[in-house]
């Protein structure tokens, strides 16, 4: 696609963003909403609309080649991602569920379920490509070194009995094949003789009629089959075989996208070179003039203050903005009063602070009394950034004439405007140092006593500033490089290479009955599509973008709960692959026997979290997470000490802050054996992953068969196969497909197409996940904090409590009166 296509996409996203900002930031604040359902509908509508903007901006950012435009798009894209996470967090708090069903909103906005899919921004990997390649090389070198040091495997000798048995099996198979070949030849001879006898008895006319009947039947069946296939393709119930392979147009589009990414790098290099030359030019040409102008203005201010107040002013501190305060539109008298007021505040900080807090508390109480009861939207950390980004687009880019810039290279005038401000700040700091000294010299010449006081005050300020240093945590590995720590963790198998899977490989269809079931007061089980979206929101987006992670609602820990084989481990690896994150394995069984003793445990956690922070983003995986919080440790596991991390890990968790892109992900299939209170206290997000439903199984069978070299034809009844495989997980389905689709079976496809009956026998040999096991997990989830709130909300109690909390403090007081 062309440059104008992505410019149009960017423009359309900003048009929708403008409408959303007008609705979110009206001139008059919205009144609190008493109806919880109406309030949730408003939140969900905002969420869906922001997701559409997110999808448009992600596409525009990935394919735009103009370096300055990309920076503006990136700023708004990160803010939109953050706003989506804020709305998701608010929806969870208001509906008391991690999963939401918005069929009515999708229908109103004329969207499809695919439009709700959270895209993973491609820049997460593209912009960290060099770092990831270096890490791959480090991994390869360490693993090669480990392979060299390992002992070669010992070859086992066959016993005489085993060798005789193998020879017997081979010989019996050979004899069987010969016998089958001999019987086949006998059968063919007898069939040939029978046909010859029949031909002697049949006349020429009868033979012609017989041939015509067979031929016409064959041709009619062929035409009917073709018409049926065309009808199914027209109705969208079958896929056109021509579309199973990418067309030339699609291949051209993919190569065009790759070429645009190459041009992005070229234009970015030119842009960085131009920045260097522009900065040098501005410093050489405009820098001296800026410096002299600032000095003259500051000297003029000294004289005006002297004339107005009778004494020279105190020079503003660098923390307060330095001489930038002088250039504000204020008279010398106002500036002097402001500086004097600041000094008084510094002198009387403690007593005034207490009084102010009391006054603020009184004001808040009065405001609470005046507030109406109801639900309000929480304050956002991203709306100001969105407004700023939208303003930049409207003022600079919306109506910009780019006829002469067909190749979409950078614009020098915009670089000069941007860098002129930065150089001005840089020069102002230099001028401030010179003018402070000059002011001190003037004061010495006019009034020596005042200069002494000023110096004394300055010394006190410096002393007070130096005394406010915080103690840093002791670094146990200060003398070691990050490379050596990385190597140690790989050798100890605490740092592992993530499997090459993507989030889109976690197959699953949308839940089409969620809203209907909830309206009937039945809590639906989430679909695999919902699980995929939740993982993208809570794990992939925050880890992929530092700007999002710092300001969005912080998710430090996440627990994936579900039966064996539903893809919990696959999701952990997908998170790492989508964000380029390191994968640390602190599973109880993996940690057992490593770094023994209390000091060893502290060293292990210190090394893991130090490497995780310095080489962020990082995912710390805890498999079989229930073992860490066992109610009672089984006898066979006491030697492994599975509860080893229970005390120390929560302490380190507190030290993770917004700037640390580190996520702890736990997986468990047996949460009943863990202490629920401790488990819920450690993991602030708990997600229940169900066995796949009918729609997801249908999609999975189709994609797994294709992925393993099979062909889906009309002979394979996928609908029946999806129906009979109810209760089987993704792991079971993968196992069955791999067992059936051997190389020999794939070679037989032209003569013997795949049928559903072939899958019945392998499925019958595997134990499915029974309804009772899923109900037990559902009942366990109902005991978690969010599950309890959901049950209360369903009974109507939680809604009353929430509405009373959000604005009826004053109402309570009035009621008492």
């Amino acid at each position: 696609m062309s440059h104008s296509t992505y410019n149009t996409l960017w423009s359309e996203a900003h048009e929708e963003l403008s409408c959303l900002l007008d609705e979110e930031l009206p001139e008059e604040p919205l009144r609190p909403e008493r109806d919880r359902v109406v309030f949730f509908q408003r939140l969900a509508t905002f969420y869906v609309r922001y997701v559409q903007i997110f999808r448009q901006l992600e596409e525009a950012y990935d394919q735009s080649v103009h370096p300055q435009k990309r920076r503006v798009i990136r700023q708004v894209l990160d803010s939109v991602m953050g706003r989506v996470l804020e709305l998701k967090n608010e929806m969870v708090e208001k509906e008391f569920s991690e999963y939401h069903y918005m069929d009515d909103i999708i229908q109103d906005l004329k969207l499809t379920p695919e439009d709700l899919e959270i895209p993973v921004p491609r820049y997460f990997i593209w912009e960290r490509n060099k770092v990831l390649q270096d890490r791959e090389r480090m991994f390869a070198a360490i693993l090669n070194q480990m392979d060299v040091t390992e002992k070669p495997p010992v070859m086992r000798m066959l016993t005489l009995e085993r060798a005789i048995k193998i020879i017997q099996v081979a010989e019996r198979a050979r004899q069987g094949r010969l016998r089958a070949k001999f019987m086949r030849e006998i059968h063919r001879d007898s069939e040939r003789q029978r046909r010859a006898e029949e031909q002697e008895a049949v006349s020429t006319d009868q033979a012609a009629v017989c041939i015509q009947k067979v031929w016409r039947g064959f041709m009619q069946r062929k035409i009917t089959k073709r018409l049926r296939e065309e009808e199914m393709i027209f109705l969208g119930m079958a896929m056109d075989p021509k579309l199973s392979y990418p067309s030339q147009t699609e291949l051209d589009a993919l190569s065009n996208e790759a070429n645009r990414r190459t041009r992005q790098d070229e234009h970015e290099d030119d842009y960085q070179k131009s920045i260097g030359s522009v900065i040098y030019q501005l410093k050489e040409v405009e820098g001296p003039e800026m410096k002299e102008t600032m000095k003259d203005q500051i000297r003029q201010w000294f004289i005006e203050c002297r004339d107005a107040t009778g004494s020279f002013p105190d020079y503003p501190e660098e923390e307060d903005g330095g001489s930038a305060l002088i250039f504000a539109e204020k008279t010398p008298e106002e500036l002097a009063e402001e500086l004097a007021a600041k000094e008084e505040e510094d002198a009387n900080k403690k007593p005034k602070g207490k009084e102010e807090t009391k006054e603020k508390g009184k004001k808040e109480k009065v405001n609470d009394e005046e507030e109406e009861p109801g639900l309000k939207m929480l304050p956002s950390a991203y709306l100001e950034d969105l407004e700023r980004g939208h303003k930049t687009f409207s003022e600079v880019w919306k109506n910009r004439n780019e006829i002469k810039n067909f190749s979409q290279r950078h614009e020098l005038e915009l670089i000069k405007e941007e860098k002129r401000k930065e150089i001005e700040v840089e020069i102002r700091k230099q001028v401030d140092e010179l003018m402070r000294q000059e002011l001190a010299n003037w004061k010495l010449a006019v009034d020596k006593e005042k200069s002494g006081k000023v110096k004394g005050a300055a010394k006190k300020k410096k002393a007070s500033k130096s005394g406010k240093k915080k103690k840093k945590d002791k670094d146990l590995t200060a003398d070691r490089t990050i490379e050596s720590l990385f190597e140690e963790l790989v050798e100890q198998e605490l740092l592992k290479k993530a499997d090459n899977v993507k989030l889109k490989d976690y197959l699953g269809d949308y839940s089409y009955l969620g809203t209907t079931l909830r309206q009937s007061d039945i809590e639906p089980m989430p679909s695999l599509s919902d699980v995929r979206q939740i993982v993208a929101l809570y794990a992939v987006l925050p880890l992929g973008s530092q700007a999002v992670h710092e300001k969005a609602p912080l998710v430090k820990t996440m627990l994936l709960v579900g039966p064996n084989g539903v893809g919990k481990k696959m999701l952990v690896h997908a998170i790492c692959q989508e964000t380029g994150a390191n994968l640390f394995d602190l599973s109880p069984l993996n940690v057992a026997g490593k770094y023994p003793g209390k000091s060893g445990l502290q060293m292990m956690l210190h090394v893991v979290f130090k490497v995780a922070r310095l080489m962020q983003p990082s995912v710390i995986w805890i498999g079989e997470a229930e073992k860490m919080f066992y109610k009672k440790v089984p006898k066979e596991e006491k030697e492994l000490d599975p509860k080893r991390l229970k005390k120390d890990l929560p302490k380190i968790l507190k030290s993770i802050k917004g700037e640390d892109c580190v996520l702890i992900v736990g997986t468990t299939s047996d949460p009943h054996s863990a202490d629920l209170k401790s488990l819920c206290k450690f993991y602030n997000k708990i997600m229940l992953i169900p066995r796949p439903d009918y729609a997801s199984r249908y999609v999975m069978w189709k994609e797994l068969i294709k992925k393993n070299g099979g062909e889906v034809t009309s002979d394979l009844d996928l609908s029946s196969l999806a129906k009979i495989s109810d209760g089987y997980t993704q792991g079971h389905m993968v196992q069955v497909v791999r067992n059936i689709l051997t190389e020999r079976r794939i070679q037989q496809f032209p003569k013997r197409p795949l049928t559903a009956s072939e899958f019945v026998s392998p499925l019958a040999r595997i134990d499915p996940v029974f309804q009772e096991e899923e109900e037990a997990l559902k009942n366990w989830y109902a005991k978690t904090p969010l599950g309890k709130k959901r049950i209360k909300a369903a009974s109507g109690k939680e809604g009353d409590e929430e509405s009373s909390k959000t604005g009826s403090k004053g109402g309570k007081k009035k009621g008492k009166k």
Side-chain angles (χ1 to χ4, degrees):
M1 288 190 278
S2 62
H3 300 312
S4 61
T5 305
Y6 297 108
N7 287 340
T8 305
L9 196 65
W10 183 27
S11 183
E12 287 173 359
H14 270 279
E15 284 175 17
E16 180 64 15
L17 181 61
S18 177
C19 297
L20 273 173
L21 289 172
D22 290 340
E23 290 178 37
E24 285 216 74
L25 299 168
E27 292 180 3
E28 293 183 8
L30 295 170
R31 296 179 67 181
E33 181 59 59
R34 291 170 181 266
D35 191 337
R36 182 177 288 274
V37 176
V38 173
F39 184 76
F40 180 79
Q41 285 290 102
R42 187 196 302 165
L43 279 176
T45 306
F46 281 155
Y47 171 82
V48 173
R49 289 170 69 185
Y50 270 114
V51 168
Q52 302 317 302
I53 295 171
F54 174 25
R55 293 173 70 90
Q56 289 175 314
L57 289 175
E58 196 279 325
E59 183 70 24
Y61 181 75
D62 183 61
Q63 290 298 305
S64 294
V65 297
H66 196 299
Q68 288 153 307
K69 283 183 184 177
R70 281 171 58 79
R71 277 159 174 74
V72 178
I73 296 172
R74 172 68 179 276
Q75 180 198 342
V76 179
L77 176 59
D78 285 344
S79 300
V80 167
M81 282 195 282
R83 186 66 187 135
V84 167
L85 293 179
E86 285 180 337
L87 289 168
K88 173 65 181 177
N89 184 58
E90 202 163 346
M91 286 161 68
V92 171
E93 288 182 5
K94 297 300 180 285
E95 205 181 30
F96 311 112
S97 173
E98 296 289 356
Y99 303 102
H100 314 290
Y101 305 99
M102 298 171 276
D103 310 346
D104 48 348
I105 296 168
I106 294 173
Q107 195 172 354
D108 292 342
L109 296 174
K110 294 181 174 56
L111 301 171
T112 62
E114 286 76 20
D115 294 322
L116 274 185
E117 197 72 33
I118 303 295
V120 177
R122 284 159 278 193
Y123 78 82
F124 286 177
I125 297 297
W126 281 106
E127 294 187 359
R128 300 188 66 245
N129 206 18
K130 290 181 181 177
V131 176
L132 295 176
Q133 286 176 359
D134 291 341
R135 194 175 72 195
E136 284 291 322
R137 281 193 286 270
M138 283 174 68
F139 253 117
I142 295 164
L143 293 174
N144 287 336
Q145 190 178 350
M146 288 170 66
D147 290 341
V148 169
T149 53
E150 286 178 2
K151 294 179 181 178
V154 180
M155 297 296 290
R156 292 183 180 179
M157 297 295 291
L158 276 175
T159 60
L160 183 62
E161 291 178 1
R162 178 69 180 158
I164 292 169
K165 192 173 182 180
I166 291 170
I167 293 168
Q168 285 177 339
V169 168
E171 178 60 23
R172 284 170 185 164
R174 188 186 68 81
Q175 289 177 7
R177 285 193 294 273
L178 286 172
R179 197 179 299 114
K181 187 179 178 182
F182 178 68
M183 292 302 294
R184 198 182 300 117
E185 287 175 358
I186 293 172
H187 180 71
R188 282 176 183 170
D189 289 340
S190 62
E191 187 69 20
R192 203 179 294 117
Q193 287 176 5
R194 186 180 63 78
R195 284 178 183 173
E197 289 171 2
E198 287 178 358
Q199 283 175 2
E200 289 174 3
V202 175
S203 66
T204 310
D205 292 341
Q206 288 175 331
V209 169
C210 184
I211 292 168
Q212 284 177 353
K213 183 176 70 174
V214 172
W215 175 250
R216 284 175 181 174
F218 170 75
M219 288 303 295
Q220 190 57 47
R221 283 192 298 273
K222 192 174 180 181
I223 291 166
T224 305
K225 184 181 178 183
R226 180 173 55 79
L227 290 172
R228 177 177 169 75
E229 287 175 355
E230 286 176 0
E231 184 184 8
M232 296 296 281
I233 291 166
F234 176 75
L235 294 172
M237 297 180 71
M239 190 176 175
D240 191 347
K242 296 175 185 175
L243 301 176
S244 59
Y245 299 100
S247 64
Q248 186 59 43
T249 309
E250 289 175 320
L251 294 172
D252 292 342
L254 290 171
S255 65
N256 186 33
E257 286 182 6
N259 291 336
R260 291 183 75 88
R261 290 195 187 98
T262 308
R263 266 185 283 171
Q264 281 176 7
D265 295 337
E266 292 172 3
H267 290 194
E268 182 64 27
D269 292 340
D270 291 345
Y271 177 64
Q272 294 298 337
K273 288 174 185 174
S274 296
I275 286 174
S277 62
V278 166
I279 289 172
Y280 178 77
Q281 186 182 353
L282 288 173
K283 281 183 178 178
E284 291 295 315
V285 177
E286 298 182 19
E289 189 179 342
M290 279 185 194
K291 205 170 190 179
E292 290 303 319
T293 305
M294 284 181 195
K295 283 182 179 180
D296 293 340
Q297 287 177 344
I298 293 167
R299 288 193 188 103
Q300 184 64 28
W301 179 69
F302 291 164
I303 294 163
E304 285 176 8
C305 283
R306 172 75 176 173
D307 293 341
T309 60
S311 61
F312 286 115
D314 291 332
Y315 205 91
E317 292 292 328
E318 194 175 330
E319 293 172 358
D320 299 329
S323 58
L325 281 175
I326 300 166
F327 300 131
E329 294 179 2
K330 291 178 184 177
T331 62
E333 291 87 350
E334 286 174 342
L335 255 176
E337 285 173 12
E338 197 176 302
L339 290 169
K342 278 186 181 179
E343 285 177 5
E344 283 178 17
E345 280 178 18
D346 292 339
N348 305 320
K349 218 170 194 180
K350 289 181 183 177
K352 274 202 172 181
K354 288 179 183 177
E355 287 169 15
E356 280 174 7
T357 49
K358 286 179 183 177
E359 285 175 12
K360 279 183 183 177
K362 288 178 184 176
K363 284 179 183 177
E364 283 174 5
K365 285 180 183 177
V366 172
N367 291 336
D368 287 341
E369 288 175 4
E370 291 174 359
E371 277 182 11
E372 293 182 35
L375 297 166
K376 285 185 176 182
M377 292 186 73
L378 297 173
S380 171
Y382 291 98
L383 285 177
E384 285 184 11
D385 296 338
L386 286 170
E387 273 191 306
R388 202 180 305 117
H390 181 63
K391 188 180 178 183
T392 304
F393 168 78
S394 303
E395 292 177 355
V396 180
W397 296 105
K398 188 176 181 180
N399 300 314
R400 197 170 192 85
N401 187 359
E402 294 188 279
I403 294 172
K404 295 180 180 179
N405 190 14
F406 180 75
S407 61
Q408 291 289 289
R409 293 190 177 273
H410 60 270
E411 299 188 26
L412 278 171
E413 288 304 316
L414 291 176
I415 298 176
K416 285 180 180 178
E417 286 175 23
E418 183 186 349
K419 296 302 168 187
R420 191 175 281 116
K421 292 174 185 176
E422 293 178 13
I423 289 166
E424 192 176 332
V425 171
E426 199 177 310
I427 290 172
R428 181 178 285 119
K429 288 178 182 177
Q430 298 171 6
V431 170
D432 285 352
E433 290 178 14
L434 295 171
M435 297 313 290
R436 274 195 191 92
Q437 189 61 43
E438 189 171 321
L439 180 61
N441 294 336
W442 284 21
K443 284 183 178 182
L444 280 171
V446 177
D447 192 351
K448 291 182 180 180
E449 292 178 4
K450 285 184 181 180
S451 65
K453 289 178 184 177
V454 171
K455 282 183 180 179
K459 283 178 183 178
K460 283 179 184 177
K461 280 184 183 179
K462 284 180 183 177
S464 63
K465 283 174 190 174
S466 62
K468 288 182 181 178
K469 287 184 179 178
K470 291 183 180 179
K471 289 182 179 178
K472 290 185 179 179
D473 295 333
K474 190 178 179 182
D475 190 354
L476 301 175
T477 54
D479 57 334
R480 294 184 61 184
T481 61
I482 190 70
E483 288 80 10
S484 67
L485 296 175
F486 186 92
E487 185 177 350
E488 181 181 323
L489 290 174
V490 173
E491 288 173 354
Q492 292 291 333
E493 295 185 352
L494 296 175
L495 180 57
K496 295 183 176 179
K497 197 174 179 182
D499 295 340
N500 189 19
V501 289
K502 300 287 185 182
L503 205 56
K504 66 181 180 183
D505 297 332
Y506 190 77
L507 303 170
D509 202 2
Y510 183 76
S511 177
Y512 296 96
L513 292 174
T515 303
T516 308
L517 289 171
R518 277 199 172 165
Q519 287 171 353
S520 307
D521 294 330
I522 300 170
E523 186 61 27
M525 287 298 282
S527 69
L528 301 184
S529 173
D530 298 326
V531 173
R532 190 170 59 238
Q533 288 188 43
I534 288 288
V535 170
L537 286 167
Y538 287 154
V540 176
L541 296 187
L543 285 178
S545 173
Q546 183 75 30
V548 173
H549 196 276
E550 285 179 0
K551 294 167 73 175
L554 186 60
V555 177
K556 295 182 181 181
T557 52
M558 188 167 73
L559 181 66
L560 305 177
V561 182
N564 286 321
V566 293
K568 300 183 291 293
K569 188 178 175 182
M570 177 187 174
L571 285 171
V572 175
H573 286 270
I575 292 167
C576 296
Q577 282 292 336
E578 295 286 11
T579 59
N582 297 292
L583 178 61
F584 297 87
D585 186 0
L586 289 186
S587 304
L589 295 179
N590 190 48
V591 170
K594 296 171 184 176
Y595 295 91
K598 191 175 180 181
S599 59
L601 178 62
Q602 289 176 351
M603 176 61 77
M604 179 183 72
L605 291 174
H606 168 78
V607 172
V608 166
F609 278 87
K610 182 179 179 179
V611 175
R613 283 191 178 102
L614 292 174
M615 300 184 74
Q616 59 184 325
S618 298
V619 172
I620 296 170
W621 173 48
I622 302 175
E624 297 179 321
E626 77 281 355
K627 293 181 184 291
M628 201 168 98
F629 301 97
Y630 264 145
K631 293 175 186 174
K632 187 180 179 182
V633 180
K635 289 181 181 178
E636 60 272 14
E637 292 186 25
K638 280 188 177 179
E639 291 181 3
L640 301 174
D641 192 12
K643 296 173 75 173
R644 189 181 175 199
L645 300 173
K646 186 179 178 180
K647 289 183 180 178
D648 293 318
L649 197 56
K651 291 176 185 175
I652 293 181
L653 183 64
K654 291 176 184 176
S655 66
I656 297 176
K657 296 175 184 175
E659 59 269 16
D660 300 323
C661 287
V662 178
L663 177 69
I664 297 175
V665 183
T667 57
T668 177
S669 56
D670 182 27
H672 309 281
S673 59
D675 178 44
L676 182 63
K677 189 177 179 182
S678 303
L679 194 71
C680 294
K681 190 178 178 183
F682 184 76
Y683 293 102
N684 55 359
K685 290 289 179 186
I686 299 175
M687 276 163 284
L688 186 62
I689 303 177
R691 55 187 185 170
D693 55 8
Y694 169 81
S696 295
R697 291 195 301 275
Y698 186 93
V699 172
M700 287 181 68
W701 280 121
K702 187 177 180 181
E703 294 301 323
L704 285 172
I705 288 167
K706 286 181 181 178
K707 191 176 179 181
N708 286 273
E711 290 179 10
V712 178
T713 61
S714 56
D715 297 301
L716 178 59
D717 188 357
L718 282 175
S719 182
S720 299
L721 185 57
K723 192 70 179 171
I724 64 170
S725 58
D726 185 17
Y728 291 95
T729 63
Q730 298 94 308
H732 296 150
M733 293 163 77
V734 170
Q735 183 183 337
V736 167
V737 169
R738 286 177 179 170
N739 287 341
I740 291 172
L741 296 180
T742 59
E743 288 184 16
R744 186 165 178 268
R745 183 67 186 87
I746 290 168
Q747 289 171 359
Q748 294 172 351
F749 279 155
K751 294 180 180 178
R752 189 162 66 93
L754 204 61
T755 58
S757 58
E758 294 181 58
F759 293 84
V760 176
S761 180
L763 281 171
R765 289 195 288 269
I766 300 172
D767 291 330
V769 176
F770 295 103
Q771 188 69 29
E772 293 78 11
E773 187 178 343
E774 192 171 75
E775 284 297 322
L777 286 172
K778 202 172 177 181
N779 293 334
W780 175 86
Y781 185 77
K783 296 174 186 176
T784 62
L786 197 64
K788 287 178 182 176
K789 287 181 181 178
R790 180 70 196 163
I791 292 168
K792 283 183 182 178
S795 62
K797 292 178 183 177
E798 188 68 32
D800 299 336
E801 289 176 17
E802 190 70 21
S803 60
S804 65
K805 283 179 188 177
T806 51
S808 60
K809 290 179 183 177
K812 281 181 184 177
K813 290 184 180 179
K814 286 175 187 175
K816 284 179 184 177
K817 287 180 183 178

